[in-house]
């Protein structure tokens, strides 16, 4: 994303007293910007790391990660995954990566509970 558009977006959020959620695998201090105002805005953003989360948040994160990878899944299987995997954010991401790899490697069309169990027990 171009820096000027990101700055524009952040300014709109500030002006409207709104909330903007930015997720990243990197910490905020690992970002470097050419626009000084953008650098300044990022220094004033609340920053926190998700490690252990509640089950409702876990399901939402799972759904978001699956959608990002364009993986369609039955809600029954999604609930099963949510029950079986850890509440640790990094482990959730790792599970989705393994699931995606399994789908690509074995050309899986429909994710089943047995597929999930196979990945969990790897």
């Amino acid at each position: 994303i171009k820096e000027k558009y990101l700055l524009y977006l952040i300014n709109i959020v500030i002006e409207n007293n709104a909330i903007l959620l930015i997720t990243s695998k990197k910490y905020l201090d690992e970002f470097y910007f050419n626009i000084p105002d953008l650098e300044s805005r990022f220094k004033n953003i609340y920053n926190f790391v998700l490690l252990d989360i509640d089950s409702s948040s876990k399901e939402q994160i799972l759904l978001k990660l699956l959608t990002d990878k364009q993986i369609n899944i039955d809600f029954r299987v999604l609930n099963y995954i949510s029950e079986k995997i850890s509440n640790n954010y990094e482990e959730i991401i790792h599970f989705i990566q393994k699931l995606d790899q399994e789908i690509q490697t074995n050309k899986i069309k429909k994710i089943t509970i047995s597929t999930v169990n196979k990945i969990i027990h790897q």
Side-chain angles (χ1 to χ4, degrees):
I1 191 166
K2 296 198 182 275
E3 289 185 10
K4 67 180 181 178
Y5 297 120
L6 183 56
L7 178 61
Y8 179 71
L9 175 65
I10 291 172
N11 285 337
I12 289 173
V13 169
I14 291 169
E15 288 171 12
N16 291 293
N17 199 23
I19 296 173
L20 175 65
L21 176 63
I22 301 173
T23 60
S24 174
K25 292 180 183 177
K26 296 166 76 173
Y27 292 100
L28 286 179
D29 60 359
E30 295 179 50
F31 288 95
Y32 299 98
F33 301 104
N34 294 320
I35 301 174
D37 283 350
L38 186 57
E39 186 85 29
S40 171
R41 298 292 191 288
F42 262 73
K43 287 181 182 173
N44 290 317
I45 290 176
Y46 292 112
N47 180 17
F48 60 95
V49 176
L50 291 177
L51 293 176
D52 287 340
I53 54 176
D54 62 42
S55 59
S56 175
S57 297
K58 178 170 54 174
E59 285 184 12
Q60 293 301 314
I61 290 169
L62 277 167
L63 195 54
K64 163 87 169 80
L65 294 171
L66 289 165
T67 301
D68 288 350
K69 298 235 179 235
Q70 298 181 343
I71 299 173
N72 294 321
I73 192 165
D74 181 87
F75 279 105
R76 185 177 63 87
V77 178
L78 178 65
N79 290 335
Y80 182 80
I81 293 169
S82 184
E83 290 173 9
K84 296 296 180 183
I85 65 173
S86 165
N87 285 9
N88 182 283
Y89 184 73
E90 291 177 353
E91 290 182 30
I92 294 168
I93 290 173
H94 183 68
F95 173 83
I96 296 299
Q97 289 169 341
K98 287 173 29 179
L99 177 62
D100 188 42
Q101 183 179 20
E102 182 74 18
I103 290 168
Q104 300 301 323
T105 303
N106 296 314
K107 309 231 184 289
I108 296 172
K109 299 287 184 201
K110 183 175 181 182
I111 300 163
T112 63
I113 290 176
S114 63
T115 304
V116 171
N117 283 331
K118 179 181 176 185
I119 293 166
I120 290 173
H121 295 97
Q122 282 181 347

